[in-house]
Amino acid sequence: MSLTIALAGNPNCGKTTLFNALTGARHHVGNWPGVTVERRSGAFEQDGLSLEVVDLPGTYSLAARSEDERVAAQFLASPEVDLVLNVLDASNLERNLYLSTQLLELGKPVAFVLNMVDDAENRGVHIDVAALETLLGGPVIPTVGNRAQGIPELKALLAVLARGESTRCRRITVDYGHDIEGELAKLETEICRDEKLEATMPPRWLALQLLENNAEAKRRVAESHASEAISQQLTKSFAFLEPHLGADGATLIAERRYGFAHGLVKEVATAPDEGRTPTARLDAVLTHRWLGIPIFVGILALVYSVSFILGKIPQDWIAEGFKALSDFAGAHLPAGELTSLLVDGVIPGVSAVIVFVPVIMILMGCIAFLEDTGYMARAAFIMDRLMHVMGLHGKSFIPLIMGSGCNVPAIQAARTIESRQDRLITILVTPLVSCSARLQVYIVIAGTFFTPFKAALAIIAMHFLGLGLAVLMGRVLRSALFAGPSSPFVMELPPYRLPVLKATLIHMWEKGSVFLTRAGTTIFAGATLIWFLSRYPGIANQEWTAQYQEQRQAVAALKLPGAEEEDRLRALQLAHESRIVNTSLAARLGQKASPLLRPILDPDHKRAEAWKDVIALTAGFVAKEIVVSTMAVIHQASDEPKPGERLSPLQVSLRDNSGLSPLTALAFMVFTLIYTPCLGTVAMIRREAGSWGWAGFTIAYGLVLGWGLAWVTVAAGRALGFA
C-alpha cells in the first residue's frame, strides 16, 4: 500500500526542512518566499508501507495569482493527492491558518505539523495542541524540523493514516455566513450536474474559487458541459452578494477566513507583547531606517573577508596537489600530444577552477548561515525601499539575492511575482547580479593586481555594482518597455533562529559539489577545446617541436650545473610554448576580435597578447568558470610562485606576462560582470520569458552596457591619473 502526501505550507514555516527530514533529500532551506518554485517528491518507508511526499511551493494562499500558487492549487485539488500535510509555524500561527482554511475546503484528509515549537516557546507563545487538533479536525504533531524532533511520531501517524486506521480526521469547514453559504450551495448544485467537472475538483472548493473570481476556476468551468448554467448562477450570486453585504465575493470570503483564523488562535494560544520579544529588539537595530544598510554592507564585507582568509589554507593544499600531479604526469608519461593535453590543458584548466572551491564553499556556508538565522530576509526588507524607488517590484530583491549563488535558480524564483510585467523585468535584470562563477574571475584578477585589502574592496564593489545596475536597469525597463506602477508587496520577516550546523555544512557541500561537477564536465570539455585551439594548426607545430627537441639536446650536451641547466631548459620550454600559442587558431581568432575590446583592455596598444583576454571572455559565454580555466591554458600558467608568495601559478603568469595594469584589470572585472549571461542562464530566460527574443535582448543590452561601463572605468581612471 502506498500513500501520496502533499506537503503544503507558508514560506518560512520549515516545510522543506521537514521534507528533507522525512525523505532524506538534501535541498537547501531558505528564509524567504519562493525558494521552492517547483514541486519536489521523495519517498520513505514506514511499517512496511511506501509513502511518497510531494513538496509543494510555499504559498500564503491558493488564489493562483502567481506561478507557485497555481502549481500548489492544481496539485492539491487533483485526485493524485491522498492526504494533505499542512505545516504550521508555531510562532506565527494566525498567519499560517489562512492557508489551512483553504486546505480544509478541499475535502481531503488533512493532518497538521506544528513546526518550530521551540521558537514559539522562546518567544513566550504557548499553544494548546489538543484544543488545536479539535478545532482543526485533524491530528496535530508538534515538531522541531531542523533538529528532527517529532519526526518519528509524524512518520508513525502517516503510516496509520495510510492504513485508514485513524479516526482523528474530521471534516471541518469555515462558516461563511447564511448569505454566502446559500450562494455556495446553489453553485455546487450546478457544478454537480456535470459529473466530469465534479470528479476533477471538489464542488465546494470550485464554488468558492468562482465566488473569488478566480481565473483558473473560470477556465475549468468554461470547458465543461454545464458552463452556461454555472456562469448564469455565478452572475446572480455576484448580483446578490455585493449589494447586500457591501463587498465583492473575494473580499467577503477572505474576511471570513481571517476571522476563523483569528478566533481559533484566541482559543488555543497565548502570546506576549510582540514589542518585547528578542526578534523585535534586534529588528529595531538591524532594520533601522539609517543603520540597516551600513550594517548590511559591514556584514557582507565580513563574510567575504572570512571566506578569503579561511579559504587560503585549503587553496594552497589543492594548488600543491595539482602541481604534484602535473609534475608526476610530465615525468612518467611518454612525450606526445595526449600528455600535452593532460599536462598543458586539462590539469591547469581544471585546477584553476577547483582551487577556488574552498572560498566558494565557505562563502556559501556564510550566506546559508545568514539565511537560516533570518537575517537575509531582513536584507531584502532593507533594500525593498530602494527597489520601489527605482520602479522594481519588492519581491524582485529575492531573486537578486539568490543570483549571488547562481542566476539560473534566481530567474526561476521570479515565478513568485504575480504581475507578468514585474516578473519579466526581474528576469531581464537578474543576470546583472554577480554570481559565484564570476567570483572566481574576480578572485584571480583582483588577487593578482591589487593588495589583499584593495582586492576585497574590488570584489565587494563588483557585487554592489551588479545589484545597482540591476535596480537601475529595472527603472529603465519600467519607463521604456513596461510602463505602469509596480505591484504592492509586503515583506515577511521570519523570527530569528539559531542555525543548525549540519544544515549549513550540507549547503556548503552542495555548492562546492556544483563546481566539482562542472569541473568534470563543462570545464573539462572547455579546457580540452582551448588546448586544441591553442596548439594547432599542426604542421608548423611539428616543425617547432623538432627544433625545440634539438635545442634541449644541445643544452643537455653542455653538461651545465643542475640549477643552470634547469633554468635554460625552462626558458626554452616557455619560448616554445609561447611560439605555439601565439600562432595558433586561438590567437588568430582572438586577434580578429581584439579590436572590439582594445579600448578597454589595451588602450595604449602595447599588449601583444591582449587577444588571450578576448578568447577567455568568449569562452565565458558557455560558463563563467571557463574564463579562469581558459586563461590557465592559454597563459601557460606553470610559473612557480616565489617562496612565501600568496599567488597561484596562473596569477603569477598573469602578473608577469599578461600586460594588464590594475586599471585594465578592473575594467576586465567590470566587463566580466555585465557582458553576457552564461548559456544556462540564457536558456532559462527563454524558458521563463517564453521567447528567444527576450533572451537575445538580454545578451545585446549586456554586451553594450558591459563595454560602455568598462570603457568609462578606463577613461575615468586615466583622467584621475591611474595607470
Side-chain angles (χ1 to χ4, degrees):
M1 179 183 294
S2 63
L3 187 76
T4 299
I5 304 164
L7 197 61
N10 286 184
N12 306 311
C13 68
K15 178 175 57 64
T16 306
T17 303
L18 282 170
F19 176 72
N20 293 343
L22 287 171
T23 66
R26 293 184 173 183
H27 296 299
H28 172 52
V29 182
N31 275 312
W32 51 61
V35 71
T36 307
V37 295
E38 293 179 332
R39 98 181 211 193
R40 302 176 185 178
S41 62
F44 68 96
E45 301 242 340
Q46 180 72 22
D47 299 338
L49 301 175
S50 176
L51 305 177
E52 182 186 10
V53 182
V54 178
D55 181 24
L56 293 174
T59 59
Y60 293 105
S61 76
L62 300 179
R65 287 186 294 265
S66 63
E67 186 64 25
D68 53 344
E69 288 181 358
R70 280 190 287 273
V71 169
Q74 290 173 9
F75 182 73
L76 286 164
S78 71
E80 183 179 346
V81 177
D82 300 309
L83 170 71
V84 179
L85 187 59
N86 182 200
V87 183
L88 304 171
D89 179 356
S91 60
N92 290 283
L93 186 57
E94 184 172 340
R95 181 205 65 196
N96 282 229
L97 285 172
Y98 184 86
L99 176 64
S100 302
T101 63
Q102 295 177 304
L103 297 175
L104 291 169
E105 300 288 359
L106 289 170
K108 298 177 184 290
V110 183
F112 300 89
V113 175
L114 191 63
N115 195 32
M116 297 186 284
V117 291
D118 56 336
D119 283 344
E121 292 171 356
N122 291 336
R123 297 175 65 183
V125 177
H126 301 284
I127 298 173
D128 185 339
V129 176
L132 180 62
E133 185 170 298
T134 300
L135 293 173
L136 287 176
V140 178
I141 302 293
T143 64
V144 181
N146 58 5
R147 291 175 173 81
Q149 296 178 17
I151 300 302
E153 293 82 355
L154 178 58
K155 288 184 175 181
L157 170 66
L158 294 175
V160 170
L161 293 172
R163 289 192 294 267
E165 298 173 357
S166 175
T167 59
R168 296 164 68 185
C169 289
R170 298 178 294 110
R171 180 74 184 274
I172 298 291
T173 59
V174 176
D175 183 358
Y176 293 99
H178 176 74
D179 291 328
I180 296 177
E181 289 289 347
E183 299 308 312
L184 284 174
K186 295 174 185 178
L187 283 168
E188 285 185 70
T189 299
E190 298 300 333
I191 291 169
C192 290
R193 297 183 191 279
D194 188 330
E195 295 181 359
K196 185 177 179 181
L197 182 61
E198 181 185 7
T200 58
M201 184 177 289
R204 181 178 174 85
W205 172 245
L206 181 56
L208 280 165
Q209 288 192 305
L210 288 172
L211 283 182
E212 291 179 279
N213 210 22
N214 182 277
E216 179 66 19
K218 287 184 173 181
R219 184 190 64 78
R220 285 178 178 264
V221 167
E223 296 173 352
S224 72
H225 297 299
S227 61
E228 185 174 349
I230 296 172
S231 297
Q232 290 178 355
Q233 179 56 52
L234 182 62
T235 302
K236 293 178 183 177
S237 296
F238 284 150
F240 171 76
L241 289 175
E242 293 191 25
H244 282 76
L245 300 182
D248 59 76
T251 301
L252 295 169
I253 290 172
E255 287 175 349
R256 290 286 182 168
R257 286 173 176 160
Y258 281 119
F260 175 88
H262 183 72
L264 189 150
V265 171
K266 287 292 186 184
E267 291 290 329
V268 303
T270 58
D273 181 4
E274 282 294 315
R276 300 177 183 175
T277 63
T279 291
R281 290 196 294 267
L282 280 172
D283 279 343
V285 177
L286 296 180
T287 63
H288 189 273
R289 183 176 185 85
W290 304 113
L291 297 178
I293 291 180
I295 291 173
F296 176 48
V297 173
I299 290 175
L300 193 62
L302 178 63
V303 164
Y304 277 100
S305 299
V306 168
S307 300
F308 296 143
I309 292 171
L310 295 182
K312 183 65 175 66
I313 298 172
Q315 268 188 295
D316 293 340
W317 297 341
I318 294 172
E320 287 296 322
F322 274 103
K323 175 62 171 58
L325 177 62
S326 180
D327 291 344
F328 178 85
H332 292 82
L333 295 178
E337 294 299 279
L338 288 178
T339 299
S340 176
L341 169 61
L342 181 64
V343 174
D344 301 326
V346 173
I347 292 178
V350 173
S351 67
V353 173
I354 292 183
V355 75
F356 296 108
V357 168
V359 175
I360 301 298
M361 292 178 68
I362 294 172
L363 177 62
M364 292 300 109
C366 291
I367 291 176
F369 179 86
L370 293 175
E371 289 175 4
D372 293 341
T373 62
Y375 179 74
M376 290 306 286
R378 271 77 184 174
F381 173 77
I382 291 166
M383 299 299 292
D384 181 58
R385 294 189 294 269
L386 176 61
M387 304 296 283
H388 279 294
V389 168
M390 300 305 291
L392 223 57
H393 193 291
K395 271 188 179 178
S396 297
F397 193 72
I398 296 165
L400 298 186
I401 285 287
M402 292 180 67
S404 63
C406 179
N407 292 161
V408 174
I411 290 171
Q412 282 184 310
R415 294 177 182 177
T416 61
I417 301 173
E418 292 87 353
S419 165
R420 173 170 170 78
Q421 288 191 342
D422 292 336
R423 188 162 62 248
L424 269 177
I425 292 174
T426 305
I427 288 170
L428 295 177
V429 303
T430 295
L432 294 171
V433 176
S434 194
C435 63
S436 53
R438 294 181 178 103
L439 177 60
Q440 297 180 59
V441 182
Y442 305 155
I443 293 172
V444 170
I445 300 297
T448 302
F449 296 98
F450 302 111
T451 64
F453 178 72
K454 290 182 178 179
L457 288 180
I459 293 171
I460 293 171
M462 289 300 105
H463 283 75
F464 277 100
L465 176 61
L467 285 173
L469 287 174
V471 172
L472 180 60
M473 283 303 301
R475 180 77 239 179
V476 171
L477 292 173
R478 168 73 65 191
S479 301
L481 300 178
F482 304 99
S486 61
S487 304
F489 170 59
V490 177
M491 178 68 67
E492 178 199 359
L493 301 181
Y496 290 100
R497 304 184 182 99
L498 183 65
V500 177
L501 179 60
K502 179 181 177 182
T504 301
L505 292 177
I506 286 174
H507 189 204
M508 289 175 65
W509 168 248
E510 286 177 344
K511 292 299 181 182
S513 64
V514 168
F515 289 101
L516 293 174
T517 301
R518 288 180 178 176
T521 54
T522 306
I523 295 168
F524 175 87
T528 301
L529 176 61
I530 296 300
W531 172 86
F532 176 82
L533 292 175
S534 65
R535 293 285 298 183
Y536 289 93
I539 296 176
N541 180 306
Q542 294 175 8
E543 295 175 356
W544 295 333
T545 300
Q547 295 174 10
Y548 169 58
Q549 294 299 337
E550 292 175 0
Q551 291 170 341
R552 287 182 61 90
Q553 291 173 5
V555 170
L558 295 175
K559 300 189 182 299
L560 298 170
E564 186 177 349
E565 180 176 331
E566 185 177 336
D567 289 343
R568 287 206 184 185
L569 291 175
R570 178 64 179 156
L572 284 175
Q573 180 185 355
L574 291 175
H576 172 64
E577 291 172 351
S578 178
R579 186 180 185 186
I580 291 173
V581 171
N582 288 331
T583 55
S584 64
L585 288 172
R588 296 176 189 178
L589 293 173
Q591 288 161 1
K592 292 288 185 183
S594 60
L596 296 174
L597 296 181
R598 184 170 289 126
I600 59 178
L601 299 179
D602 184 24
D604 294 323
H605 295 211
K606 293 181 179 180
R607 296 181 59 211
E609 298 187 350
W611 62 267
K612 294 182 178 181
D613 301 329
V614 177
I615 291 296
L617 291 168
T618 302
F621 175 70
V622 178
K624 291 298 179 287
E625 302 97 324
I626 298 182
V627 173
V628 176
S629 61
T630 299
M631 289 192 295
V633 174
I634 62 178
H635 280 285
Q636 296 297 309
S638 54
D639 290 348
E640 289 293 327
K642 297 176 182 177
E645 195 167 40
R646 60 181 179 83
L647 302 180
S648 68
L650 171 58
Q651 291 174 311
V652 173
S653 182
L654 288 173
R655 182 196 62 192
D656 296 341
N657 305 318
S658 71
L660 283 170
S661 67
L663 182 58
T664 52
L666 184 62
F668 187 99
M669 294 169 63
V670 171
F671 190 74
T672 300
L673 165 67
I674 307 167
Y675 74 106
T676 178
C678 69
L679 197 57
T681 301
V682 171
M684 185 56 64
I685 293 172
R686 186 266 168 210
R687 175 182 166 185
E688 296 298 311
S691 168
W692 279 113
W694 288 120
F697 172 77
T698 307
I699 295 172
Y701 93 72
L703 285 168
V704 173
L705 183 63
W707 193 98
L709 284 182
W711 181 85
V712 168
T713 300
V714 173
R718 290 164 72 90
L720 294 173
F722 296 104

